[in-house]
Amino acid sequence: MVKEKVKKQYLNGYERILKIDYMISHMHYPSVEDFARETEASIPTINRDLRDLRMKFGAEDILQYDRIEKGFYYTRPSFRIPAMLTSEKQIIVARLMSNLLKLIKDTPIYKQAIEVFSSLSDNIEDDSKLNAKKLSNRIMFLGMDPVKIDDDIWSKLEEAMAKNNYVSFDYLDFDEPFVVAPWQLIYSEGMWSLYSYYPKEKGTRFFNLPGIHNLKIDPRTFELPPDFEYSKRVKGNFRRYIGKETWKYKLKITSSKTLNYIKTYNWAEDQQFAKQPDGSTLMTFTSNQEYPILGWTLSHGMYVQPLAPEWLVKEWGKNVKQMARLADGV
């Protein structure tokens, strides 16, 4: 009986690039010849794959060739290309994330991120039932256009955070430079900020990146506390801010439309709403974001009245009285 000849299976382009990526991250300076041998592809094909790895998968400034070792390496050892997207719904998510990332355009990380997501979303054919390209155009994300960030400032902050080095810089029109321990880079409402520990005040402080100039990496290092993350220290979702105290808040809501809007969001983990005999609703929660809460309360006009804490009642009343005088032309 004659054995049926088995047709040899060759790796496709994406599979070869995955293999090349794995070899670079796990081997000692693999060469073009090593890639060709392992993938059973020609040298010209491998060169095209390396070009695609750089241009389509975010490795443009990361994949380098060492002339002494005669092989390739990543300047950022943690770099990896993601695995293949396997379903049409994943493709839709990738395209939507590509759209979402446009909210952080003009930042150093945008270019690489958008190339990775865009290239991944093109790796399989669209399903006849769910057309990813068409559906992704029907879902959009709105937000403020981000401010442009200086590449040098961003790169130095990344380096300092990776090694836990202090940084010094001039900020806005302050007379003296700041020296801080950079904890996190935070994006909020179109603005990138440096969330840091400021030893001079023995507390945390935010600095908007466009206001930072002449940044230098300090050779001194700091120890990162276990609870350094912004999300672990903030109590509330009223914008990017952390105050020094945590307060218990009580707000009287008199409009059903305003109430329905407020109840839609998670402003604080312990928020509660209690119907009152007069038809109003009492909202209670705890937060350490006093400054944004004042603006948030005022933004609801006459439909939200603060009852506690006392400082909020006084500041709200002061603002309301002043606005009334302005309205009356006094």
Side-chain angles (χ1 to χ4, degrees):
M1 184 175 180
V2 180
K3 291 185 178 179
E4 183 179 351
K5 188 176 181 181
V6 179
K7 185 177 181 180
K8 191 170 185 178
Q9 297 292 319
Y10 291 96
L11 300 178
N12 63 35
Y14 185 77
E15 291 170 333
R16 288 196 308 272
I17 292 175
L18 277 178
K19 184 69 175 179
I20 291 170
D21 172 66
Y22 180 85
M23 292 174 67
I24 296 171
S25 61
H26 288 79
M27 293 175 60
H28 183 75
Y29 297 98
S31 65
V32 170
E33 290 74 17
D34 292 328
F35 300 142
R37 182 173 56 257
E38 289 295 321
T39 62
E40 300 186 56
S42 66
I43 298 297
T45 297
I46 294 299
N47 285 328
R48 286 196 296 271
D49 290 341
L50 290 171
R51 180 196 62 198
D52 288 344
L53 178 57
R54 286 190 173 99
M55 305 308 296
K56 296 183 179 180
F57 292 88
E60 182 177 3
D61 300 319
I62 298 171
L63 177 60
Q64 298 294 331
Y65 180 79
D66 190 296
R67 296 186 180 280
I68 297 176
E69 298 288 347
K70 300 186 184 304
F72 292 86
Y73 69 100
Y74 286 144
T75 57
R76 194 170 75 215
S78 61
F79 176 81
R80 298 291 183 278
I81 65 172
M84 172 73 108
L85 298 178
T86 58
S87 74
E88 184 67 12
K89 289 186 177 180
Q90 288 178 331
I91 299 302
I92 293 172
V93 171
R95 290 187 183 278
L96 292 178
M97 292 185 72
S98 175
N99 293 337
L100 178 60
L101 284 171
K102 291 177 183 177
L103 293 179
I104 55 171
K105 62 184 178 182
D106 290 330
T107 62
I109 63 172
Y110 170 74
K111 180 181 178 181
Q112 293 181 350
I114 202 70
E115 286 179 353
V116 170
F117 280 111
S118 295
S119 60
L120 283 177
S121 65
D122 289 327
N123 277 324
I124 65 174
E125 302 231 346
D126 288 342
D127 187 279
S128 59
K129 295 179 181 178
L130 291 173
N131 190 304
K133 292 182 179 179
K134 290 183 178 179
L135 185 56
S136 62
N137 291 335
R138 302 292 291 274
I139 303 173
M140 68 178 298
F141 304 93
L142 294 178
M144 295 179 64
D145 287 339
V147 296
K148 185 172 177 57
I149 305 301
D150 183 86
D151 287 1
D152 184 61
I153 296 292
W154 185 278
S155 298
K156 286 181 179 178
L157 283 174
E158 279 190 323
E159 181 180 347
M161 288 191 295
K163 299 177 181 179
N164 286 346
N165 284 104
Y166 283 92
V167 294
S168 62
F169 52 81
D170 297 324
Y171 188 65
L172 298 177
D173 56 355
F174 285 87
D175 295 330
E176 297 182 1
F178 288 86
V179 178
V180 303
W183 281 3
Q184 283 183 298
L185 287 170
I186 296 178
Y187 177 80
S188 176
E189 299 180 321
M191 179 62 67
W192 277 101
S193 300
L194 174 63
Y195 177 49
S196 60
Y197 179 77
Y198 185 33
K200 189 174 182 179
E201 294 183 356
K202 296 182 179 180
T204 58
R205 182 161 180 164
F206 291 93
F207 298 90
N208 291 336
L209 261 59
I212 294 177
H213 305 284
N214 304 320
L215 186 142
K216 298 178 182 177
I217 300 176
D218 195 301
R220 294 174 299 163
T221 60
F222 61 89
E223 186 174 343
L224 199 62
D227 63 341
F228 77 94
E229 295 177 68
Y230 171 80
S231 60
K232 293 182 178 179
R233 292 179 172 241
V234 68
K235 296 183 184 299
N237 297 306
F238 295 90
R239 283 177 52 205
R240 181 226 66 191
Y241 183 85
I242 298 180
K244 295 181 179 180
E245 295 186 56
T246 299
W247 303 88
K248 292 184 178 181
Y249 291 86
K250 291 183 181 180
L251 304 174
K252 182 179 181 180
I253 305 173
T254 58
S255 164
S256 59
K257 289 184 178 180
T258 302
L259 174 64
N260 290 335
Y261 164 77
I262 292 175
K263 290 177 71 174
T264 303
Y265 295 88
N266 180 28
W267 302 102
E269 290 184 0
D270 62 344
Q271 67 184 28
Q272 293 185 358
F273 300 89
K275 199 71 175 178
Q276 302 300 297
D278 63 357
S280 65
T281 299
L282 184 66
M283 178 185 183
T284 58
F285 60 91
T286 56
S287 177
N288 57 1
Q289 296 186 296
E290 64 267 20
Y291 173 71
I293 289 175
L294 171 60
W296 181 86
T297 305
L298 289 166
S299 71
H300 294 295
M302 63 183 180
Y303 302 116
V304 176
Q305 177 187 358
L307 304 179
E310 186 178 354
W311 75 263
L312 179 60
V313 176
K314 289 183 178 179
E315 286 298 318
W316 178 83
K318 186 190 302 181
N319 277 269
V320 169
K321 290 177 181 177
Q322 181 61 28
M323 285 189 288
R325 283 195 290 267
L326 291 173
D328 292 336
V330 179

